[in-house]
Amino acid sequence: MSAHVIADEAEALAVAAALADEFRAGAAERDAGRRLPRAELDRLSRSGLLAVTVPGEHGGADVGAGTLVEIFRLLASADASLAQIPQSHFAYVNVIRRQGTPEQQKFFFAELLAGRRLGNAQSEAGTRHVQDIRTRLERRPDGSYVLSGVKHYSTGALFADWIPVLAHAEDDNLHVAYVPRNAPGLTVIDDWDGLGQRTTASGTVRLDDVPVPADRVLPHHLTFRGPQLHGAVAQLLHAAIDAGIAGGALAEAAEFVRTKSRPWFESGVDTAAEDPLLIQRFGELALQVRASEALLREAARAVDAARADLTDDSAAEASIAVAAAKVQAGHAAVDVASAVFEVSGTRSALNSLNLHRHWRDARTHTLHDPARWKIQHIGRYVLSGTRPPRHGLL
């Protein structure tokens, strides 16, 4: 695959806005029929957007966090499933930036600039908790590895060229193995049946003695031994998806009320859009969306500031700012997507319209990690200055 190389942040945002408009047109139909967005993902790859965080010395635009979150917000406002698929892609690009050798960086950044996609195989079902990773990398006598395990919720793996796999090596340290999608012993099963984000193909990955060359393994455990932004950037993209869902739901609700809803007879007005009670409710919902977008921008600025001067304090401030944005965006996504029906009326509940996809996407995506723990870390930071932990989920 060949891909366009995006030059700067302005071009990245223009491309993202154009693709969002293109993807929005078929989003409801794709979700209703669970039609996987292979053609749309190929468009995304060819556009160059998946390589915008490649460093400048390797030929990329190296956009900042503010631009990256706006790309995700725009895409999610059109199709939350489609926006979710590259979230792990960018998280594992960051692992290459931070832990890759010069040779690994040269190879993988060239792959990204050519339009290659990274998936993910990180979460496991049935373990004690989300960080109980039981997939193993066993070293062979020649220095290469064999990879064995089962992964779930593997968003993007079905569409990927490379699948980053979280695994423990013999020293019990956490590594990432970058495995080709067609590697022998690797099977991707399209068994995702979530109520929302239906077209993410977030299914199962089986790894049965998958051979992995030594130069395709990166020491991810080193990421968390000092100040880091790995978790902050990953969570920031999740927050951008939630903010996009909220904004997209509000825009579709407003269009529905303007063009399809009837006014309540007691209002005394000619159109639903003139109903003062609906006007009030739309104002309240718009405040939630605007607050989400404002906190998202503030968090992105904190991440960019920390990236420029990475210390324990700057990393902590970035993580707390991202946590605040994630909590607000999650609440807004669920609340606004639910309110679509309240403001639009009975007809909006018709299954054929598929307006419920916004709520289903919001309810599913916001389950990634609990907001209550983010609020705990924010409270500790405010009261005692306790820095949040470096576990990669803040």
Side-chain angles (χ1 to χ4, degrees):
M1 178 183 293
S2 61
H4 174 68
V5 177
I6 288 176
D8 54 32
E9 298 193 335
E11 184 183 7
L13 291 174
V15 170
L19 284 179
D21 287 340
E22 179 181 326
F23 296 156
R24 183 176 290 107
E29 181 183 351
R30 283 192 297 274
D31 175 88
R34 198 179 177 271
R35 180 174 67 78
L36 300 182
R38 296 182 185 276
E40 289 77 12
L41 284 170
D42 285 345
R43 287 277 295 116
L44 190 62
S45 291
R46 289 194 298 271
S47 76
L49 280 181
L50 297 182
V52 293
T53 57
V54 170
E57 60 267 27
H58 289 273
D62 199 11
V63 305
T67 296
L68 188 60
V69 299
E70 182 62 7
I71 290 169
F72 271 79
R73 190 194 68 79
L74 286 167
L75 293 176
S77 72
D79 185 338
S81 288
L82 191 55
Q84 177 61 34
I85 291 168
Q87 189 272 341
S88 290
H89 170 97
F90 284 99
Y92 285 105
V93 172
N94 280 345
V95 175
I96 297 168
R97 288 187 64 141
R98 188 171 173 95
Q99 301 303 339
T101 66
E103 293 77 15
Q104 289 170 328
Q105 291 177 352
K106 180 180 179 180
F107 174 81
F108 279 111
F109 290 150
E111 288 283 282
L112 297 172
L113 289 169
R116 306 286 190 268
R117 295 192 289 264
L118 306 181
N120 96 84
Q122 52 187 16
S123 294
E124 300 179 10
T127 57
R128 290 182 300 122
H129 50 70
V130 70
Q131 291 200 318
D132 181 14
I133 303 297
R134 300 184 184 181
T135 300
R136 306 299 299 185
L137 270 170
E138 296 184 12
R139 188 182 291 271
R140 289 172 160 176
D142 64 0
S144 66
Y145 293 89
V146 173
L147 185 61
S148 299
V150 180
K151 299 290 188 175
H152 298 83
Y153 313 116
S154 301
T155 303
L158 191 67
F159 316 109
D161 298 288
W162 293 89
I163 302 178
V165 181
L166 280 185
H168 286 286
E170 292 171 345
D171 58 7
D172 212 33
N173 284 322
L174 192 63
H175 292 70
V176 179
Y178 288 73
V179 182
R181 169 68 177 82
N182 60 356
L186 187 152
T187 305
V188 180
I189 305 169
D190 182 20
D191 57 356
W192 170 244
D193 66 347
L195 66 90
Q197 295 195 299
R198 288 176 171 175
T199 61
T200 58
S202 301
T204 301
V205 171
R206 294 189 178 278
L207 306 142
D208 299 310
D209 294 333
V210 177
V212 184
D215 62 356
R216 296 293 179 262
V217 177
L218 279 68
H220 194 32
H221 60 281
L222 298 180
T223 300
F224 307 104
R225 291 189 178 175
Q228 51 82 32
L229 297 171
H230 178 80
V233 172
Q235 290 292 304
L236 188 63
L237 299 184
H238 282 307
I241 293 168
D242 289 339
I245 293 172
L250 182 64
E252 190 155 1
E255 178 66 14
F256 193 95
V257 168
R258 283 193 297 265
T259 61
K260 296 181 177 66
S261 295
R262 297 183 298 178
W264 184 244
F265 71 94
E266 291 179 284
S267 67
V269 297
D270 293 329
T271 67
E274 298 173 285
D275 184 334
L277 298 183
L278 278 182
I279 291 172
Q280 175 73 19
R281 188 67 177 122
F282 269 96
E284 294 168 349
L285 296 174
L287 284 176
Q288 288 201 59
V289 173
R290 284 174 175 262
S292 299
E293 293 172 354
L295 284 174
L296 190 66
R297 290 190 293 269
E298 179 184 333
R301 285 192 293 269
V303 168
D304 280 334
R307 181 180 173 188
D309 182 21
L310 188 59
T311 66
D312 284 330
D313 287 338
S314 67
E317 183 60 35
S319 290
I320 292 299
V322 170
K326 180 67 169 61
V327 171
Q328 170 61 28
H331 289 331
V334 173
D335 292 347
V336 175
S338 176
V340 167
F341 308 100
E342 169 196 338
V343 298
S344 300
T346 305
R347 185 181 175 190
S348 65
L350 293 177
N351 198 52
S352 59
L353 296 175
N354 201 14
L355 289 178
H356 49 71
R357 74 184 186 281
H358 299 295
W359 182 86
R360 289 187 289 98
D361 286 341
R363 186 63 281 174
T364 302
H365 183 254
T366 53
L367 299 177
H368 268 84
D369 46 273
R372 57 188 176 272
W373 277 99
K374 297 183 186 304
I375 295 171
Q376 283 281 311
H377 292 304
I378 294 170
R380 292 191 185 104
Y381 188 73
V382 171
L383 281 173
S384 61
T386 302
R387 297 188 188 108
R390 294 174 179 162
H391 53 44
L393 293 175
L394 276 171

